[in-house]
Amino acid sequence: MKLFEYQAKDIFKTKNINIPKGKLIRSVSEVEEAVAEIGLPCVLKSQVLRGGRGKAGLIKVVKDIESARTTAKELFESEHNVHMILVEEAVNISSEIYLSVTVDPVTSTALLIGCAEGGVEIEKLAAESPEKIITVNVDMSKGLGSFHVNNLVYGMNLPAEQIKPVSAVVRSLYKTFTAYDAQLAEINPLFITADGTPVAGDGKIIIDDNSEWRHPDYPLSREQFDSEVEFEAAQEGIPYLVFNGDIALMCAGAGLTTTVFDLIHDAGGTVATYVEFGGANYTKAVRTMELCLKTPSKVILVVTFGTIARADVMAQGLIEAIKAHNPQQPIVTCIRGTNEEEAFKFLRDAGLEPLTDTEDAVKKAVELAARRA
């Protein structure tokens, strides 16, 4: 679960990481009061869960109250679904640093990442100047040691006067990472002010979905999603993605789904939506199809492969879903796995053709979508 910048900064503050003075607003009518409290010049920062906000024009510096009102109105009315703006003081910046803690999937350790050049896309910097990025692995069962922090901070070749204050931020950021079961805790940039004080200019925290129950202060909210249906699906624990193509996918597992995506595009088709129908959700066919039908499509393609998730249960669920929602689109099925013979029988009795080859199912779905163009 991704947190908004203002939420990440609230957490940073509790971990003794300096943040700029700021106030969250949800409407243009709140701008004047916020600016009066924060002062001018100030920065209006759209609270959206995406990177590159500056390049997208979602972060603006304003120098007077009139431009603050006008800019806030433009941001709230933009195409980026801006529901909240963080009004923040402008910081007197001397330099910028990149710091983060994430998970190293290869070694199953925490990975400290630092770079003396902050405020840039770390992926771009890694591709163009990888030698500037310093990484240090931390065995989380043993915890963060002084040598980890020293290897990171001294490796960044920071000025001597920045070593101690930046080291303190690294320790606090690591505490944030562990306390919030994070997949990522990032400050980009970490401002170094004219008087040498480190201040978190931006903040990003991603909490592991499996530990959401441990952090009730950060429930899912409508603002985190682009549409009502995506929010509904998330509340059900059903992965859901919206595109703008023709074929709706009820598919089991990210790996299989990615393969099906590629097959559809290779065959000249397009995807309208993807709804998880497998894993922990394999008994939720009725609800899954209800969500699926909320996005317009020309064909529904059901592709699953289940071992623990039984094919016969999924087939029966699909039939119940069809009876409940009466979809008007043709349905193509390729339901394989445990008890698939029984699944095939259920599908045939319901008038559906049980295909056994995923590529054949994809080709048929693409052909049907083309006929309905």
Side-chain angles (χ1 to χ4, degrees):
M1 178 176 64
K2 295 181 181 179
L3 299 187
F4 290 101
E5 175 193 5
Y6 81 91
Q7 294 173 314
K9 284 182 171 176
D10 285 345
I11 291 173
F12 290 163
K13 188 176 181 179
T14 68
K15 299 299 180 184
N16 298 315
I17 297 174
N18 296 318
I19 62 172
K21 184 179 180 182
K23 185 176 181 62
L24 190 72
I25 64 171
R26 298 176 184 273
S27 68
V28 177
S29 63
E30 300 175 74
V31 171
E32 191 167 342
E33 180 182 348
V35 171
E37 181 178 330
I38 301 303
L40 291 165
C42 61
V43 187
L44 304 189
K45 309 182 77 174
S46 303
Q47 298 300 284
V48 293
L49 297 175
R50 55 161 292 176
R53 289 180 298 163
K55 290 181 179 179
L58 296 173
I59 297 177
K60 298 285 189 180
V61 177
V62 296
K63 297 181 179 180
D64 57 69
I65 188 61
E66 190 57 43
S67 62
R69 291 194 199 95
T70 302
T71 301
K73 185 174 186 295
E74 291 173 353
L75 292 175
F76 278 124
E77 293 177 354
S78 73
E79 62 182 358
H80 299 284
N81 292 313
V82 178
H83 300 285
M84 301 175 290
I85 294 174
L86 180 61
V87 181
E88 199 168 74
E89 67 174 320
V91 178
N92 185 7
I93 305 166
S94 175
S95 62
E96 299 181 352
I97 293 170
Y98 176 92
L99 288 178
S100 72
V101 188
T102 188
V103 178
D104 186 335
V106 177
T107 62
S108 299
T109 59
L111 183 65
L112 308 181
I113 305 175
C115 179
E117 297 182 15
V120 297
E121 295 177 9
I122 195 66
E123 296 84 1
K124 182 178 180 181
L125 190 63
E128 296 178 354
S129 304
E131 73 282 355
K132 295 180 180 179
I133 299 175
I134 308 303
T135 60
V136 177
N137 291 86
V138 180
D139 184 340
M140 296 180 67
S141 66
K142 297 179 180 178
L144 183 72
S146 295
F147 69 96
H148 293 120
V149 179
N150 289 341
N151 287 345
L152 182 74
V153 176
Y154 282 98
M156 294 163 61
N157 293 318
L158 297 175
E161 66 273 12
Q162 293 182 11
I163 296 295
K164 186 174 180 179
V166 173
S167 295
V169 175
V170 172
R171 293 187 180 93
S172 294
L173 191 61
Y174 182 82
K175 289 178 182 177
T176 301
F177 176 78
T178 55
Y180 285 87
D181 303 301
Q183 294 177 338
L184 174 69
E186 178 186 84
I187 302 175
N188 184 28
L190 177 69
F191 296 144
I192 304 298
T193 65
D195 65 1
T197 302
V199 178
D202 198 354
K204 182 183 294 184
I205 294 176
I206 302 177
I207 297 174
D208 190 317
D209 290 345
N210 294 312
S211 68
E212 286 180 13
W213 62 276
R214 287 156 56 100
H215 307 286
D217 290 341
Y218 299 97
L220 291 173
S221 66
R222 172 64 182 83
E223 289 87 355
Q224 291 172 302
F225 301 89
D226 290 333
S227 67
E228 190 66 37
V229 63
E230 289 174 287
F231 181 41
E232 285 182 39
Q235 289 178 304
E236 294 272 359
I238 299 176
Y240 184 98
L241 296 173
V242 177
F243 304 96
N244 52 9
D246 297 329
I247 300 172
L249 284 180
M250 291 174 58
C251 204
L256 177 59
T257 302
T258 301
T259 301
V260 173
F261 267 56
D262 289 343
L263 290 172
I264 288 173
H265 285 284
D266 189 57
T270 55
V271 178
T273 186
Y274 154 65
V275 190
E276 166 71 43
F277 181 40
N281 297 307
Y282 86 98
T283 60
K284 298 180 180 180
V286 174
R287 182 62 170 136
T288 298
M289 181 167 284
E290 180 183 358
L291 292 168
C292 181
L293 292 173
K294 291 190 177 186
T295 299
S297 65
K298 296 176 181 176
V299 178
I300 297 175
L301 173 59
V302 184
V303 180
T304 71
F305 185 87
T307 50
I308 296 174
R310 288 165 40 189
D312 59 327
V313 173
M314 299 176 87
Q316 286 180 309
L318 178 63
I319 294 164
E320 291 175 13
I322 293 170
K323 291 178 180 177
H325 300 299
N326 189 30
Q328 300 304 300
Q329 308 94 316
I331 298 174
V332 179
T333 70
C334 184
I335 298 178
R336 305 295 308 277
T338 303
N339 292 349
E340 64 180 33
E341 292 82 4
E342 289 88 342
F344 297 162
K345 181 178 184 303
F346 293 144
L347 293 171
R348 289 192 188 97
D349 289 346
L352 296 170
E353 179 184 6
L355 299 176
T356 58
D357 185 279
T358 301
E359 291 190 46
D360 290 342
V362 166
K363 289 176 182 176
K364 182 173 181 179
V366 171
E367 289 171 2
L368 288 170
R371 290 179 201 165
R372 293 166 61 85

